[in-house]
Amino acid sequence: MLAKGQTSTPEGSSGSTNEKPFRLLDDDGRLLPGVDAPEIPDADCLKLYRGMLQVRLVDDRYMKLQRQGRLGFYMQSTGEEATHFGGAYALRSTDWVYPSYREPGLAFWRGYSLKDFTNQLYGNVEDPVKGRQMPVHHSARWINLVSISSPVGTQIPQAVGTAWAARIAKKDDVALVYFGEGATSTGQFHVGMNFAGVYKAPCIFFCRNNGWAISTARDKQTASTSFAIKAVAYGMPGVLVDGNDLLAIIASMQDAVARARRGDGPTMIEALTYRRGGHSSSDDPSVYRNPAEVTAWETNDPIERWRRYCVNRKIWTQAAHDQMVAEITDEMMAALKHAESLGPPALETMFDDVFAEMPPHLAEQKAECLAAPRQKITHGGH
Amino acid sequence: MPVYNIIQAVNDALRIEMRRDDRVVVLGEDVGKFGGVFRATSGLFDEFGPERVIDTPLAEAGIVGTAIGMALYGLRPVPEIQFADFIYPAYDQIVNELAKFRYRSGGQYPAPVVIRTPYGGGIRGGHYHSQSPEAYFVHTPGLKVVIPSNPIDAKGLLLSAIRGQDPVIFMEPKRVYRASKGDVPEGDYTIPLGKAKIVRPGNQVTVIAYGSMVHTVNEAVERVVAEGFDPEVIDLRTLLPLDQETVLESVKKTGRAVIVHEAPKTCGYGAELSAIIMEKAFLWLEAPVVRVTGFDTPFPYTLENEYLPSPDRVAVAIKQTVNF
């Protein structure tokens, strides 16, 4: 079955790519003339809007908390929200996702609560990963969202393995893997793309090209004219899409997912967007880039474009927007209050989950640790 | 009972487990039609087909990386790394990813991948076909490391490893791949990980080895026994988790220990064994713990027999330790 948008995207024969970013919406949120756009129900349009709004509000608030010293570390994705939801929307719940560290919307869309999200940032006793990883390294098995790794690109071959496993197990699940354009310079990108191409693994490679890998600009990552063009050499379609056009991303993703499900193999999607904030709370982009660049991208905001699209469809109202903001803010404040009220995981849990069963040498070290004299230790995230 | 060498025993174990559990898949370079460069996966492709016996592109990081993704989804992948010397491109996937998945996800994502790889020298393979990199993996929390010395153990340990819930580095001693033969029980049996074996009981000194070095030790022991010495020989079989009980009981009985491995000496597995003996059996010791190992040089080609612990070097160490 062909998804909507099929005729507009350069999908079809393997090893093709387009040179101009694929768009469906103009800057005012109007459908471009003559395009075949996916049909998205009104309720979904507003749910997508609410999702992006949540990411924006959460980023603003949590970055402030980090600046106030209440949160150890944070990574925002301001300006890239459409990339989270365009990918998430095209999947079903049995599919698997391998995020990098800048797609919280992907998790929210699949049902990851603000409470879980916040507890993870605080590494407290209710943190789904038990305080084992620094902030923004989420893992949520119950929504097939795989544990996030800091080293870029390592998740790429893993996602290929999961997609391949689904096929071996005779299921039609697909795997979606996110990475930044910097990750395309790693061996893991090559290895993952190559394996997937050879074995037609039902995997979608989603490259968020936000222009910057910490301080390294896009033109220091590759001499290629685009990142999507790299797909050609791996025998799969490469789709360059406007990363701030949610509708175009959804269309590209639906094509890629349909192709993967019917056994025709992987697709690479390059979503062209921009990292308006720093790499992380530890970064200072004013040292290495012109602020005018950021300002220019602020006028090309993915949420605003989607809002205008919803306005054009006559489904957006200020009142509904205000209510969303209020609901999200309430939920966020409750999650924060809860997370800050909780202590760290119990000391003995440090020794759990190294293996399925604790071997004797670890049991011995655990006993030693628990018996050792200790001063009051402060724990990360507070 | 058929007489099998280690390769045949490994092959038998893989076949048994693939018949028993359709989640088990084998992947690696040349493991399919060709049956592996050492023939360990011979015949599996014909029986189980290309979806379960997978010839991969030539990239170790991809073999291990995809195996991780398969395991997370619910399969039981058994990747082969053609030589342990080639495992380093997959090092990040093994050490940062595979080993830590269960822990870093708060127990959500176990990654039961069993990586088989032939290791060790003595086959005129030079630097790139002779290394013993076990210490890197023993040092990595979250990995189990298994090194059998003979076909009976190889089969039982491999079946245990594949049925376990943890990632395992399963290193096969390629120098004795064909030379080590034994009456391998037919059908299904397991040998638990973490249990060492006393190969020869004795009272004067505990000689500890694993993998191909068990055979070197046996040769040395045969000679010194003829001269009236009485060593006890332990084949560790599993390096992590270590069977401390067997090692310490033996050392407390003999009061002496000689540790033999072919990997370089500095920070090799022998250093850990020696430290454990010092920490837990110090008052029973009658002599310093001695290590007989490969040297701290890259693995040499022409002079490999000088590099590798020989029965002569082991015999000297046994006698000096007893006579200390």
Side-chain angles (χ1 to χ4, degrees):
Chain A
M1 196 184 77
L2 299 183
K4 292 283 179 183
Q6 175 85 17
T7 51
S8 311
T9 51
E11 202 263 345
S13 65
S14 63
S16 60
T17 186
N18 52 328
E19 288 175 2
K20 288 239 167 72
F22 167 62
R23 292 184 79 173
L24 287 175
L25 296 178
D26 69 13
D27 293 348
D28 292 323
R30 282 184 302 252
L31 277 180
L32 292 167
V35 294
D36 184 9
E39 280 168 28
I40 300 177
D42 290 349
D44 284 0
C45 287
L46 291 174
K47 200 180 161 202
L48 288 162
Y49 178 75
R50 190 188 191 280
M52 292 196 289
L53 198 58
Q54 175 171 318
V55 172
R56 183 68 56 88
L57 292 171
V58 166
D59 276 353
D60 287 348
R61 173 74 60 173
Y62 287 35
M63 205 54 158
K64 286 194 186 98
L65 288 179
Q66 196 281 332
R67 297 302 186 221
Q68 291 164 10
R70 283 164 71 188
L71 193 54
F73 176 85
Y74 193 68
M75 297 181 91
Q76 64 185 113
S77 37
T78 306
E80 300 179 47
E81 294 88 348
T83 63
H84 310 182
F85 291 91
Y89 186 74
L91 299 180
R92 54 182 201 208
S93 62
T94 55
D95 294 327
W96 282 55
V97 293
Y98 281 75
S100 80
Y101 40 65
R102 212 185 298 284
E103 300 93 12
L106 175 67
F108 292 149
W109 184 264
R110 293 176 74 83
Y112 195 58
S113 70
L114 265 175
K115 198 171 164 185
D116 286 333
F117 179 84
T118 310
N119 286 333
Q120 196 285 326
L121 299 180
Y122 278 78
N124 62 29
V125 68
E126 288 182 14
D127 170 5
V129 300
K130 304 183 186 174
R132 304 267 169 72
Q133 291 227 73
M134 69 188 292
V136 310
H137 292 64
H138 305 279
S139 179
R141 180 71 184 83
W142 63 97
I143 52 169
N144 293 342
L145 182 135
V146 178
S147 166
I148 295 168
S149 174
S150 304
V152 295
T154 53
Q155 74 277 23
I156 298 173
Q158 294 165 7
V160 174
T162 292
W164 198 348
R167 215 188 52 192
I168 292 168
K170 315 281 184 224
K171 303 273 179 58
D172 68 348
D173 297 333
V174 305
L176 167 64
V177 57
Y178 276 87
F179 47 90
E181 83 286 355
T184 65
S185 301
T186 68
Q188 306 283 347
F189 169 78
H190 166 69
V191 154
M193 292 281 284
N194 189 46
F195 273 51
V198 170
Y199 277 95
K200 288 189 179 291
C203 189
I204 295 110
F205 300 88
F206 197 108
C207 174
R208 268 185 310 93
N209 175 8
N210 66 13
W212 294 93
I214 306 187
S215 71
T216 307
R218 175 244 180 271
D219 63 1
K220 294 288 185 293
Q221 297 295 349
T222 187
S224 299
T225 53
S226 73
F227 292 94
I229 199 173
K230 292 171 188 283
V232 175
Y234 299 103
M236 69 178 85
V239 179
L240 175 59
V241 62
D242 181 337
N244 290 6
D245 180 345
L246 178 55
L247 199 61
I249 302 172
I250 289 173
S252 304
M253 272 295 300
Q254 286 179 336
D255 284 349
V257 170
R259 180 181 145 79
R261 269 205 226 295
R262 67 176 180 256
D264 288 344
T267 301
M268 178 182 172
I269 293 172
E270 174 191 354
L272 189 63
T273 181
Y274 188 78
R275 197 195 76 205
R276 278 157 50 181
H279 165 71
S280 73
S281 55
S282 311
D283 185 24
D284 176 10
S286 71
V287 176
Y288 54 78
R289 72 180 180 189
N290 186 346
E293 198 178 295
V294 182
T295 316
W297 277 88
E298 278 168 1
T299 61
N300 176 13
D301 186 82
I303 305 179
E304 176 57 18
R305 205 192 304 183
W306 190 252
R307 190 190 70 80
R308 291 177 188 181
Y309 173 67
C310 292
V311 168
N312 293 335
R313 283 181 61 158
K314 304 193 190 329
I315 55 174
W316 187 91
T317 63
Q318 185 65 46
H321 168 90
D322 292 346
Q323 196 191 330
M324 287 176 190
V325 172
E327 282 170 7
I328 293 163
T329 306
D330 285 352
E331 196 186 341
M332 187 162 59
M333 299 317 285
L336 276 167
K337 196 175 165 198
H338 182 71
E340 290 190 320
S341 75
L342 297 172
L347 178 56
E348 56 265 32
T349 65
M350 187 162 74
F351 298 89
D352 295 341
D353 303 319
V354 182
F355 296 100
E357 285 170 30
M358 194 176 296
H361 71 286
L362 266 185
E364 187 184 317
Q365 290 171 27
K366 176 179 166 181
E368 202 179 297
C369 173
L370 293 178
R374 61 175 47 80
Q375 296 173 309
K376 180 144 177 60
I377 298 167
T378 56
H379 294 277
H382 295 276
Chain B
M1 260 188 294
V3 175
Y4 282 160
N5 62 31
I6 294 176
I7 294 166
Q8 292 165 320
V10 164
N11 186 266
D12 192 29
L14 290 171
R15 182 174 285 103
I16 286 170
E17 203 52 13
M18 291 186 80
R19 283 178 184 169
R20 200 187 71 91
D21 183 351
D22 61 13
R23 298 172 305 165
V24 178
V25 298
V26 162
L27 66 159
E29 294 156 14
D30 311 304
V31 301
K33 260 197 168 127
F34 184 51
V37 295
F38 290 102
R39 325 296 304 146
T41 56
S42 183
L44 300 180
F45 182 89
D46 289 338
E47 182 169 349
F48 302 104
E51 290 225 313
R52 293 182 65 198
V53 186
I54 303 162
D55 279 318
T56 66
L58 206 164
E60 287 76 13
I63 295 167
V64 176
T66 52
I68 292 170
M70 290 177 180
L72 300 186
Y73 190 79
L75 299 187
R76 289 300 184 123
V78 186
E80 175 181 298
I81 299 296
Q82 201 162 75
F83 285 84
D85 318 70
F86 306 165
I87 207 165
Y88 307 112
Y91 195 66
D92 186 45
Q93 285 289 353
I94 296 171
V95 169
N96 258 338
E97 301 292 316
L98 177 62
K100 313 290 163 55
F101 244 106
R102 180 192 291 276
Y103 191 79
R104 82 176 204 214
S105 64
Q108 295 173 11
Y109 283 109
V113 174
V114 178
I115 300 175
R116 293 181 38 251
T117 188
Y119 85 97
I123 59 145
R124 301 194 62 72
H127 169 59
Y128 292 113
H129 302 81
S130 306
Q131 295 171 48
S132 301
E134 65 271 18
Y136 300 123
F137 303 111
V138 178
H139 189 64
T140 301
L143 297 177
K144 292 182 172 174
V145 180
V146 177
I147 308 187
S149 69
N150 64 74
I152 299 162
D153 289 354
K155 180 175 167 182
L157 289 166
L158 184 54
L159 284 168
S160 279
I162 301 173
R163 289 173 196 176
Q165 305 299 319
D166 299 306
V168 177
I169 309 296
F170 193 90
M171 298 175 63
E172 298 165 4
K174 66 177 171 290
R175 177 158 68 136
V176 292
Y177 245 165
R178 292 185 181 82
S180 176
K181 291 179 181 145
D183 292 326
V184 175
E186 279 178 84
D188 193 346
Y189 68 92
T190 57
I191 294 173
L193 307 192
K195 294 282 174 219
K197 187 170 80 177
I198 295 175
V199 177
R200 179 193 189 277
N203 288 301
Q204 280 184 325
V205 55
T206 302
V207 188
I208 307 165
Y210 50 87
S212 60
M213 282 298 112
V214 172
H215 301 273
T216 302
V217 165
N218 284 343
E219 256 188 83
V221 163
E222 210 172 294
R223 288 188 215 170
V224 299
V225 166
E227 295 173 39
F229 290 88
D230 182 25
E232 176 149 302
V233 179
I234 296 178
D235 178 353
L236 288 181
R237 307 201 284 200
T238 304
L239 274 57
L240 198 128
L242 167 68
D243 183 354
Q244 286 197 17
E245 208 180 320
T246 298
V247 170
L248 291 171
E249 260 178 38
S250 174
V251 173
K252 287 176 183 176
K253 178 178 72 176
T254 63
R256 294 170 165 87
V258 171
I259 300 160
V260 185
H261 62 63
E262 55 180 284
K265 189 171 199 173
T266 300
C267 284
Y269 191 69
E272 181 61 34
L273 278 175
S274 174
I276 290 170
I277 292 167
M278 294 301 286
E279 284 172 354
K280 298 188 173 172
F282 180 73
L283 293 175
W284 286 263
L285 287 179
E286 313 255 3
V289 175
V290 167
R291 289 175 285 168
V292 184
T293 69
F295 298 107
D296 287 352
T297 67
F299 196 97
Y301 173 64
T302 307
L303 298 176
E304 70 171 337
N305 290 328
E306 304 297 324
Y307 171 93
L308 289 166
S310 61
D312 285 341
R313 278 170 64 196
V314 175
V316 167
I318 291 173
K319 288 192 266 188
Q320 283 179 349
T321 303
V322 171
N323 293 326
F324 179 80

